[in-house]
Amino acid sequence: MKLNRDEQDMLNGKEGLASQKAMELLVKYGDALGAEQFVDTNNVAVFAGLFFFPELVKKVIPSLDPDAIASKFLLDSDELVVLDRVKAFTTNHIFTINREYLKLQGRSQLVYDLAEKMEAYCKRVGINNIATCTPYLAGNIPLKGEHCAWTESSAIPFANAVVGARTNIEGWHSSFASAITGKTPLWGMHLGENRLGDTIVDVEVDLDRVMEWGLMGYYIGKRVGPHIPIFTNIEQIPNLGMLMAFNAGISGNIIMYHIIGVTPEAHTLEMATGNKKVSESIKYGKEQRREAYRELNHSKKGNVDIIIMGCPHYSIEQISSLARMLEGKKLYDSTALYVTTCRQTKTLADRNGYTDIIHKAGGLVLDDTCGLEFHHDMSKVIATDSAKQAHYLPVENVWYGSAEDCVQAAITGKWQGEIR
Ligand code: F3S
């Protein structure tokens, strides 16, 4: 890679060991990707809180010293690197540990201790602990054209497609190194020519409900990824909840898409394709919609034991609407309802009385966690309004439907949702 003076100085250690180690890592990464240079970034989203194998971390760093952990596990350095402050504006996306409900999440005290230490470490080095997969609801809203270095699969299509910001899918190490240096390799989604659509999706169904967007995202993500789809014939202008559900459905497969007349790089079809011929056209009609619904609904049992809502983390609008649906009602005796959201939204929900209403009905609103992080009893039947959760939940019996279907199941203990 060609480095400018500033980057070379970092690599030579003139700005300290942390910048040097981070730059060494980014140069290797950029070289492997075929990037020729770096681009400045002042918007980084790291994943620096949860270690899935805490026993391994403890084996390598018995003292659980966060500087040593960050050096080894986030910078790949055997040398101890004591970071002073990160250079870029950085948010830490998720801890996935709710301190009050460790048992629900099947988490040990060790994971908790580690998460606490890493949270304090992030605070010390200037990383903002927003702890959510919806950073755009919690103060990290990039702007069109802004170069970012983000982790988190559903947030990335949101940044690229909905906002028009520019980010690849970054990992623990690369995002951390970008936070320290304020640099990311200039490749992939950072380059305009790589953001053009190459597959037309002709939409033939009404997308008037949030659930429809989750279904379409799921279907197209599985069939079209890793290409860049261009959605045509969509008459419904989606709201935030619809786009969040869509990004969750499509995530993991697609990091960029266009919706003609909706997303900022697709005012017209010509703009979305750059006037180039597209490689493929596919249809999303009634049949495809039914197929997606069938794939996501894989329960053989009509009862529902657990309902999980809030993937991606629910917005205040979604929580207030849920509270309205549950006001004065009671959950079925043996059915549990968990709603996950970010710290900021939880605080708003608490202060506006929504949490109280949901709790009085028998549900639970949780921040700092995600339904996939719960300790799941494989014999239980779970219902959700998220295509992403329905796909990834490890249990055999899963129902997917609208928020209304989930509330009905919470109150009756039975699944009655169906596709119209
Ligand atoms: Fe967020 Fe967990 Fe869903 S991280 S997108 S709530 S799977």
Side-chain angles (χ1 to χ4, degrees):
M1 292 182 80
K2 243 202 265 154
L3 305 191
N4 63 23
R5 165 85 58 88
D6 167 36
E7 292 153 1
Q8 195 62 58
D9 282 352
M10 281 194 250
L11 190 62
N12 292 343
K14 287 199 182 150
E15 290 193 21
L17 187 61
S19 300
Q20 185 178 29
K21 289 285 176 192
M23 195 41 96
E24 281 172 7
L25 197 144
L26 285 174
V27 167
K28 273 192 242 163
Y29 176 52
D31 276 339
L33 295 165
E36 290 175 5
Q37 61 188 87
F38 287 110
V39 64
D40 291 341
T41 177
N42 191 36
N43 190 327
V44 179
V46 297
F47 192 101
L50 182 73
F51 290 93
F52 295 102
F53 304 104
E55 294 74 19
L56 172 72
V57 176
K58 190 149 173 98
K59 218 170 167 185
V60 180
I61 318 282
S63 65
L64 289 187
D65 168 33
D67 286 295
I69 293 172
S71 308
K72 185 72 193 163
F73 290 94
L74 299 176
L75 274 176
D76 196 26
S77 166
D78 290 329
E79 222 175 314
L80 179 69
V81 179
V82 179
L83 176 62
D84 179 17
R85 282 194 88 72
V86 291
K87 198 177 265 184
F89 168 66
T90 305
T91 50
N92 191 10
H93 270 198
I94 203 152
F95 281 88
T96 45
I97 291 286
N98 178 295
R99 275 76 165 154
E100 276 178 80
Y101 297 96
L102 284 183
K103 213 166 146 207
L104 171 70
Q105 298 156 105
R107 295 294 182 188
S108 64
Q109 188 63 35
L110 181 57
V111 180
Y112 173 83
D113 292 346
L114 208 48
E116 286 281 285
K117 278 177 189 277
M118 290 314 290
E119 178 155 10
Y121 171 85
C122 288
K123 198 165 141 191
R124 193 196 85 205
V125 302
I127 295 175
N128 298 280
N129 289 309
I130 63 172
T132 181
C133 48
T134 53
Y136 42 89
L137 297 181
N140 186 351
I141 312 167
L143 292 182
K144 184 167 184 282
E146 186 174 355
H147 292 282
C148 306
W150 275 23
T151 53
E152 217 306 300
S153 63
S154 77
I156 287 165
F158 191 96
N160 278 320
V162 177
V163 178
R166 300 183 168 209
T167 182
N168 291 306
I169 304 182
E170 299 300 341
W172 294 26
H173 297 80
S174 62
S175 59
F176 197 70
S178 290
I180 295 171
T181 58
K183 307 278 176 184
T184 188
L186 183 67
W187 75 288
M189 286 299 114
H190 292 287
L191 299 167
E193 65 266 29
N194 296 333
R195 300 172 62 83
L196 297 170
D198 57 7
T199 304
I200 301 273
V201 181
D202 192 14
V203 180
E204 294 181 356
V205 296
D206 279 346
L207 298 169
D208 54 350
R209 296 191 302 161
V210 171
M211 174 184 144
E212 296 295 341
W213 287 84
L215 277 180
M216 181 168 78
Y218 179 71
Y219 182 88
I220 298 300
K222 274 186 94 178
R223 271 69 178 183
V224 171
H227 290 271
I228 299 183
I230 305 171
F231 295 87
T232 60
N233 293 331
I234 293 184
E235 282 168 18
Q236 168 78 41
I237 300 292
N239 61 27
L240 180 65
M242 289 168 171
L243 287 175
M244 283 165 62
F246 184 59
N247 288 311
I250 217 166
S251 69
N253 291 302
I254 284 173
I255 61 170
M256 174 65 179
Y257 60 83
H258 300 281
I259 304 174
I260 303 300
V262 173
T263 53
E265 292 171 52
H267 296 167
T268 62
L269 182 60
E270 293 69 31
M271 187 180 170
T273 60
N275 274 319
K276 290 198 185 116
K277 221 172 158 269
V278 294
S279 56
E280 209 190 333
S281 277
I282 65 165
K283 179 172 106 169
Y284 181 73
K286 281 189 182 150
E287 199 183 306
Q288 290 72 20
R289 173 175 170 260
R290 283 195 172 279
E291 210 175 309
Y293 190 80
R294 269 198 304 272
E295 281 175 31
L296 288 169
N297 279 284
H298 42 90
S299 180
K300 292 180 194 77
K301 299 178 180 172
N303 66 305
V304 175
D305 301 307
I306 296 165
I307 292 132
I308 298 175
M309 304 171 88
C311 167
H313 280 168
Y314 253 9
S315 67
I316 192 67
E317 187 191 347
Q318 291 167 310
I319 292 194
S320 70
S321 145
L322 179 64
R324 272 199 304 276
M325 289 192 263
L326 284 171
E327 192 151 22
K329 311 247 168 56
K330 273 275 170 224
L331 258 56
Y332 187 70
D333 275 356
S334 57
T335 305
L337 166 69
Y338 302 115
V339 185
T340 57
T341 190
C342 66
R343 295 171 177 189
Q344 292 81 342
T345 306
K346 168 80 168 45
T347 303
L348 269 181
D350 292 350
R351 296 184 74 162
N352 282 286
Y354 303 137
T355 308
D356 206 34
I357 294 172
I358 295 167
H359 286 192
K360 271 192 184 129
L364 194 55
V365 182
L366 298 148
D367 57 6
D368 281 6
T369 193
C370 146
L372 291 188
E373 292 304 324
F374 294 172
H375 177 63
H376 290 294
D377 172 345
M378 297 302 163
S379 66
K380 299 286 184 201
V381 181
I382 304 185
T384 177
D385 61 344
S386 164
K388 182 173 176 180
Q389 293 259 331
H391 176 73
Y392 286 113
L393 277 166
V395 300
E396 199 186 326
N397 291 298
V398 175
W399 290 112
Y400 167 77
S402 65
E404 291 76 11
D405 294 336
C406 288
V407 168
Q408 192 182 39
I411 294 166
T412 62
K414 295 202 167 39
W415 186 253
Q416 291 161 70
E418 57 185 347
I419 198 161
R420 280 193 306 217

